[in-house]
Amino acid sequence: MTAMTRSTALSAEHEELRATVEAFAREEVAPVIGDLYERGEFPYDIVAKMGRMGLFGLPFPEEHGGMGGDYFALCLALEELARVDSSVAITLEAGVSLGAMPIHRFGSEEQKKTWLPRLCSGEALGAFGLTEPGGGSDAGATRTTARLEGGEWVVNGSKCFITNSGTDITALVTVTAVTGERPDGRPEISAILIPSGTPGFTVGKKYSKVGWNASDTRELAFDDVRVPEANLVGERGRGYAQFLRILDEGRIAIAALSVGLAQGCVDESLRYAAEREAFGSAIGGYQAIQFKIAEMEARTHTARLAYYDAAARMLAGEPFKKEAAIAKLVASNAAMDNSRDATQVFGGYGFMNEYPVGRFYRDAKILEIGEGTSEVQKMLIARELGLPA
């Protein structure tokens, strides 16, 4: 969808932001990201530029160093970045919705004053430690523990697949941990902020991943890690409920990122179909290619409408859990399907790393897994429809 037709659905301010990020992705990210991706290098220069643009502070108030925008603005930025590269997009998404948002939503005023200005500027990154090696989708089965001892939390356990957790500018990770037992016998789960470099806090080596190779993903270990009691984020025992809220919002952001990848597949396929000739004419003139690209565009358009709707409901203060799950499910499916079809349009060249569609294909699969698998989204939708848990 062109910028002109898309702008009709956006306010002037949102369209200006979208166009600015689109130009940044095309001019600053596209020329360098391929090499960084293949070398598995974190894009520090790009992140610094995004910080200066204010992208990390988009949905946060100016009093805490933010831009005073809204969550939809973040989603628009993520879509435009992911049209070019998902490693850069997920670095922004995780830094904002997982790293800074828990502090903004649930943190004390002191925590906000201490951490949000640095996180909003992009000078520092935050991470969110939820997933554990034996947990996966069963986040309620948290085994990491934290006990109060002499006015300090003593944290023990491990987390896995944590984005932005081991870069040179990572400043903190907020982890979920069992801090006691509820009256009904279930574990009491709380969220605790742990600054980078705290003794006993070990960051593992970078994973060798199928995709998102220019982003940072690691395993974390906590061995008698001590932090002040004041590092509790939100209310004790509300960590599980807090992260459910964070994940609901994050699913809209991941849907936006997925739409960007799906749109990037359309962009690249249109360009290639006009240039590539077979049997004496451009392949874009063959109905088989036309139909494939038409289906790709239809998927992208539908997924975009889904995340727009979920974001609008969220910003209006309306229930949005079901709509966020629908958006994430539909958009991640679109990204996966479009990346496969775009690779097919490119034929043998689609299997070569010099073309972006190969990178898109590698990046798409995680979108059906991260921040809630497709199966979890279906479960959430069913429950919201009133079907039994």
Side-chain angles (χ1 to χ4, degrees), residues 28-195:
E28 301 287 344
V29 179
V32 300
I33 196 61
D35 288 340
L36 291 171
Y37 189 96
E38 291 308 314
R39 295 198 303 268
E41 292 186 15
F42 188 78
Y44 286 103
D45 288 344
I46 293 174
V47 169
K49 291 176 181 178
M50 291 195 298
R52 290 193 290 271
M53 291 171 66
L55 299 189
F56 286 93
L58 278 173
F60 302 115
E62 294 179 11
E63 64 185 282
H64 292 136
M67 298 294 289
D70 56 29
Y71 205 83
F72 184 54
L74 170 66
C75 291
L76 291 174
L78 291 172
E79 180 182 343
E80 293 303 327
L81 289 171
R83 284 177 71 177
V84 170
D85 180 72
S86 292
S87 292
V88 171
I90 195 59
T91 299
L92 175 63
E93 192 277 335
V96 175
S97 70
L98 297 179
M101 193 59 72
I103 297 173
H104 169 64
R105 291 281 185 221
F106 311 111
S108 66
E109 191 59 32
E110 183 63 29
Q111 289 170 345
K112 294 175 184 179
K113 290 180 179 179
T114 300
W115 297 105
L116 285 182
R118 293 180 63 202
L119 297 176
C120 288
S121 70
E123 171 191 340
L125 290 175
F128 189 67
L130 171 64
T131 305
E132 298 190 354
S137 296
D138 187 8
T142 299
R143 294 184 178 179
T144 297
T145 62
R147 71 180 189 277
L148 271 178
E149 185 177 287
E152 293 180 318
W153 291 107
V154 183
V155 183
N156 285 279
S158 62
K159 302 289 180 178
C160 64
F161 311 141
I162 309 304
T163 305
N164 290 348
S165 59
T167 73
D168 293 344
I169 58 174
T170 299
L172 64 95
V173 57
T174 302
V175 302
T176 52
V178 176
T179 53
E181 186 176 286
R182 296 162 58 96
D184 60 7
R186 291 184 298 168
E188 173 193 83
I189 298 177
S190 305
I192 298 172
L193 190 155
I194 302 177

